[in-house]
Structure formats: structure tokens, C-alpha cells
Amino acid sequence: MSGSTAPITQAVILAGGQATRLRPYTDTRPKAMVEVADRPIIDYQLEWLARHGVEHVVVSCGYKAEVLRDHLAGRTDGPEITLLVEDEPLGRGGALRFAASGLRAADRPYFALNGDVLTWFPLDEFTAYHREKGGLVTLALAQYRTTWGIVDVTDDGLIEGFTQSPLLPFWINAGVYLFEPGVTPLLPEKGDHESSTFPRLAREGRLFGYRIDGFWRGVDTVKDVKEAGEQVSALFGGAPVA
């Protein structure tokens, strides 16, 4: 695939899970339907993918699937959507494999997103990087921002100041991937790909990381909903643009 220039037109989104840390928001809806700046997370994701040429998205869900189904059925623009409902919790790796089964072009690469991330970065550059490296999977990486304040202190104990929630020189899995089709059968049928498939690919030198230069925010807790809403509103007035 390293020599290919064909655009990637398909993606999967993992929208299952009960997201207990997001209660009470998730008492009545799945995590992907939690509203940030008055819009569901999944709407931001679908529009971002569409702006980068994605035409078909498979959404894998389980918990409160009917809420997601009703919402997606009411969308009139963006990519075509196929909704798959898990009969039982499959774990993130199993959910990825299950979602990939709904792709129409099983022999072509695809993007994959966790249903709880908000991000905007150029997917064409992500794709070019992936093809240049020639691996099977490329992970988008976000710089780690601690939730704790940092104390600036000298060796002799003098405190010179404080820095609230700084970015640290570490990178975390941003929950956005680019998969070659050969990865799908390597994913577990049930369980977590980060403890099985990814370590294997890393040992084999077929796993790469792309450092995001753009906005990224995970939405895992009630506090995240409020803070992410403020950030999105400040950046885009609540409606991101290309």
C-alpha cells in the first residue's frame, strides 16, 4: 500500500460501552451521543470524516443502540452509515473486528475511531504518513496533558511558580487509527487489541505512530464534557469548519 495514492473512503466508529464515568449523561444514551457544545460527539466525527472524503462509515454499538439508531436515521447529509449492534460486549478489539465486517470493501484500508474522541487534524497527511512508513497500522498520537498542576521548584526548594495542566513530553493513543485490511483477521474476536494485536505488530515492526498537530480531546468523564464544550465553542463557535 505504500505506493498507493487512492483516497481512503471508509471508516468504522466504536460507539458501544456503558461509559459509567460519564453518568448521568449516559443513563439515557450511549457515549457517542453525549452532547458537547450542544451536539453529539458522533456528529462531529462523521462531519470530520466526510470532509476528508470518507463515503461509508460502519458504527458498532450495543448499549442504548436504539438512541443512536434513531439519531443516525435522521441525518440527511454526510457519509452513508451502516449500524451494527453487538449481541454481547466484545471489548474494543472485538468491536473493531465486528465493525470491520460491515465494510463493503474488505480488501481496502480504513480509518477507525473510538466514539469518545473529538479531534481535527488533516487525514490526508495522516494517510500519506501511513503509506510512507509501510506498516499495517498507524495510530494517531496526542501529546499528554496532565490534569494536575505542576510546581516549578528549584533544587534548594524555592517555589518559583505554578503551571496548571501542562502538556508533558509524552504521547498517548488518541483513539484514531488507520488499518490495512490485513489487520482485521489479527484483531481478537473478543478482548482488547491494545494487549494483543498491537504488541504483536510492534514486535514485528509493523506499527507506527503519527503525532497529531491539531485539536484533540478525549471525553471520558463529566468534567471532560464541560471542558470540551468550552474548548469547542472557543475554537469554532460550536460548529467546526474544514
Side-chain angles (χ1 to χ4, degrees):
M1 289 300 298
S2 59
S4 174
T5 59
I8 295 176
T9 60
Q10 55 184 3
V12 302
I13 296 177
L14 303 187
Q18 296 191 25
T20 55
R21 292 195 298 166
L22 272 169
R23 289 177 176 167
Y25 293 109
T26 51
D27 284 343
T28 58
R29 71 197 71 189
K31 182 187 289 190
M33 284 296 298
V34 170
E35 293 188 353
V36 172
D38 300 320
R39 305 186 66 214
I41 295 171
I42 196 166
D43 281 0
Y44 292 112
Q45 294 183 328
L46 290 170
E47 290 168 11
W48 177 54
L49 291 170
R51 289 197 301 273
H52 288 87
V54 172
E55 300 170 355
H56 179 224
V57 177
V58 178
V59 178
S60 173
C61 62
Y63 175 71
K64 301 292 182 182
E66 66 281 359
V67 177
L68 193 55
R69 180 185 291 110
D70 291 346
H71 176 73
L72 295 177
R75 288 182 56 88
T76 57
D77 54 6
E80 185 179 352
I81 300 169
T82 298
L83 188 70
L84 298 182
V85 181
E86 301 174 18
D87 292 330
E88 60 177 328
L90 299 175
R92 291 184 299 167
L96 278 170
R97 182 167 179 155
F98 177 62
S101 70
L103 294 171
R104 293 176 186 144
D107 59 341
R108 296 179 62 185
Y110 56 97
F111 297 116
L113 280 69
N114 290 346
D116 58 357
V117 297
L118 289 169
T119 188
W120 294 278
F121 63 89
L123 288 176
D124 53 347
E125 294 181 11
F126 183 42
T127 301
Y129 177 89
H130 169 80
R131 288 170 170 164
E132 175 188 345
K133 296 299 181 181
L136 280 183
V137 178
T138 299
L139 283 65
L141 306 177
Q143 193 169 4
Y144 176 67
R145 183 182 296 276
T146 177
T147 57
W148 300 91
I150 299 297
V151 179
D152 301 318
V153 58
T154 66
D155 291 341
D156 61 1
L158 176 66
I159 293 178
E160 298 179 323
F162 302 86
T163 304
Q164 184 59 41
S165 301
L167 289 169
L168 300 183
F170 303 102
W171 296 86
I172 61 175
N173 182 351
V176 180
Y177 316 102
L178 205 169
F179 286 162
E180 290 297 323
V183 175
T184 304
L186 303 180
L187 294 168
E189 294 184 0
K190 183 180 290 188
D192 194 338
H193 56 292
E194 290 189 17
S195 60
S196 56
T197 309
F198 281 4
R200 170 184 171 180
L201 294 178
R203 290 192 300 269
E204 297 172 354
R206 298 192 290 175
L207 185 69
F208 290 89
Y210 171 87
R211 293 175 175 86
I212 293 174
D213 182 15
F215 179 86
W216 180 88
R217 179 71 194 235
V219 184
D220 296 313
T221 67
V222 171
K223 180 182 178 183
D224 290 333
V225 176
K226 179 178 182 296
E227 293 181 351
E230 292 171 350
Q231 290 176 310
V232 169
S233 295
L235 283 171
F236 307 112
V241 296

